[in-house]
Amino acid sequence: MVALSIQEVSRHCGLSEPTLRYYEDIGLIGPVSRDERSGHRRYGTADVDTLEVLACLRAVGMRIEDMRVYLANRARGLSTSAEQRDLLLRQAERVEAEIRAKQARLGYLREKAALWDARHRGDAEAEAASSARLPLLIAGMELGASPAR
Amino acid sequence: MVALSIQEVSRHCGLSEPTLRYYEDIGLIGPVSRDERSGHRRYGTADVDTLEVLACLRAVGMRIEDMRVYLANRARGLSTSAEQRDLLLRQAERVEAEIRAKQARLGYLREKAALWDARHRGDAEAEAASSARLPLLIAGMELGASPAR
DNA sequence: AACCACCCCTCAAGCGCTTGAGGTCAACGG
DNA sequence: CCGTTGACCTCAAGCGCTTGAGGGGTGGTT
């Protein structure tokens, strides 16, 4: 039985140490066993496996409550496989929307930077051109879109 | 002098009503004038102009404190144009990194969905193939990357 | 006049972490 | 043997909103 420290687990699966503690606090994982004398967390293989999955789900922006559902389904095995698939596909759609939104925003940022650069250089013509392009970019953005999740 | 309601401004610039109130609370904008008898907020042209900019900056993930800097610089005019440009370009780089991270995560999600779908269909071969591809996708993700900002 | 539907208001709490303060334990060098 | 890292611990507060509770004002119907 391996018994990794919080730092090792953090590096391994890319979740910060506070996040690991937080996930334990809210009962997503664990309770994680402790080193008798120091009281430090020692993560076993099962914990790490679960955390790897959680890290990926989190990375794609899944909410905690959906993670709970996913883990519960996983524990129940095959019977829920269609549900698992749909949970993930819905999430994938959300991520795609976020990517599209971000690309639009990126265009805006770059144009706005060009505008200030033109001002900086005292290039009135370039400044006017940028100013003219900006409203189009704003129009291209889905305004209602969430900022970052 | 126009005097838009909070709902109108919200729709116009894509910030939620609570967010508009919040931005006023923390002094990013305003204080916004009020309708004498009802106490409702009435936004003027200057407010709306500022909010349009803020909506875009927020949409690209700029933090509140950077927005304050941006607005302060804007008020000071040309002298800070190079600074403005750099503030925006730094932000653009962050957004690009986020997009790359999200695309990697999307691939992971889709593969994981395929895995559960294979399980659902009882297709052991497809399941094994998906299982084999997943670790590569995980390896391709920048694990340390922030989930969404 | 009473009722309803809206729009707006102000708190207060929740979300999913991050950051920071303050303290313990274990191994190391001087 | 003492002092210093360094990794860990536990709160508590902060971030940037969102959500929800509890209420008021206005306008149009019955």
Side-chain angles (χ1 to χ4, degrees):
Chain A
M1 180 74 168
V2 290
L4 299 171
S5 71
I6 195 169
Q7 184 182 210
E8 289 165 330
V9 175
S10 169
R11 289 191 180 139
H12 176 72
C13 62
L15 296 168
S16 74
E17 298 180 23
T19 298
L20 292 173
R21 295 191 191 102
Y22 177 68
Y23 282 2
E24 189 179 351
D25 281 356
I26 63 173
L28 251 191
I29 57 160
V32 174
S33 58
R34 303 293 184 116
D35 179 298
E36 276 296 304
R37 51 183 67 254
S38 67
H40 293 186
R41 271 163 259 251
R42 295 298 168 222
Y43 294 84
T45 324
D47 296 321
V48 175
D49 285 352
T50 303
L51 285 168
E52 274 179 2
V53 176
L54 290 183
C56 292
L57 297 182
R58 176 189 116 123
V60 295
M62 185 176 285
R63 347 192 109 180
I64 301 273
E65 288 315 307
D66 284 348
M67 291 184 193
R68 276 193 222 281
V69 172
Y70 187 90
L71 290 183
N73 285 350
R74 191 183 64 154
R76 298 196 35 239
L78 268 185
S79 59
T80 56
S81 52
E83 213 175 312
Q84 294 297 76
R85 180 198 57 201
D86 294 343
L87 196 60
L88 294 172
L89 287 180
R90 278 197 301 277
Q91 193 64 40
E93 275 163 35
R94 272 177 246 160
V95 174
E96 280 186 336
E98 281 170 38
I99 289 177
R100 277 195 302 276
K102 272 207 197 304
Q103 275 162 343
R105 288 149 186 183
L106 188 57
Y108 173 84
L109 260 189
R110 294 226 173 275
E111 192 62 57
K112 197 93 186 180
L115 172 64
W116 282 104
D117 188 55
R119 281 190 189 140
H120 181 58
R121 298 191 329 265
D123 183 342
E125 199 175 321
E127 184 178 342
S130 275
S131 289
R133 277 192 296 267
L134 276 170
L136 300 174
L137 291 172
I138 293 180
M141 287 170 57
E142 306 158 43
L143 276 183
S146 61
R149 239 213 83 272
Chain B
M1 180 72 167
V2 291
L4 300 172
S5 72
I6 195 169
Q7 184 181 210
E8 289 165 330
V9 175
S10 169
R11 290 192 179 138
H12 176 74
C13 63
L15 297 168
S16 73
E17 297 179 24
T19 299
L20 291 173
R21 296 189 191 104
Y22 176 68
Y23 282 3
E24 188 180 351
D25 281 356
I26 62 173
L28 251 191
I29 58 160
V32 175
S33 59
R34 303 293 184 119
D35 179 298
E36 276 295 306
R37 51 182 67 253
S38 67
H40 295 182
R41 272 163 260 251
R42 295 299 167 219
Y43 294 84
T45 324
D47 296 321
V48 175
D49 285 351
T50 303
L51 285 168
E52 275 178 2
V53 177
L54 289 183
C56 293
L57 297 182
R58 176 189 115 123
V60 295
M62 185 176 285
R63 345 193 111 177
I64 302 272
E65 287 317 305
D66 284 347
M67 291 183 192
R68 278 194 220 279
V69 172
Y70 187 91
L71 289 182
N73 285 351
R74 190 182 67 153
R76 297 195 38 238
L78 267 185
S79 58
T80 56
S81 52
E83 211 174 313
Q84 295 297 76
R85 180 198 58 200
D86 294 343
L87 195 60
L88 294 172
L89 286 180
R90 277 197 301 278
Q91 194 64 40
E93 276 164 36
R94 271 177 246 161
V95 175
E96 280 186 336
E98 280 169 39
I99 289 178
R100 276 196 303 276
K102 272 207 198 305
Q103 275 162 343
R105 289 149 186 182
L106 188 58
Y108 173 84
L109 259 190
R110 294 226 173 274
E111 192 62 56
K112 198 93 187 180
L115 173 62
W116 282 103
D117 188 54
R119 282 191 188 139
H120 182 57
R121 298 191 331 263
D123 182 341
E125 199 176 323
E127 183 178 341
S130 276
S131 288
R133 278 192 295 269
L134 277 169
L136 300 172
L137 292 172
I138 293 179
M141 288 170 57
E142 306 157 41
L143 277 184
S146 61
R149 235 212 86 271

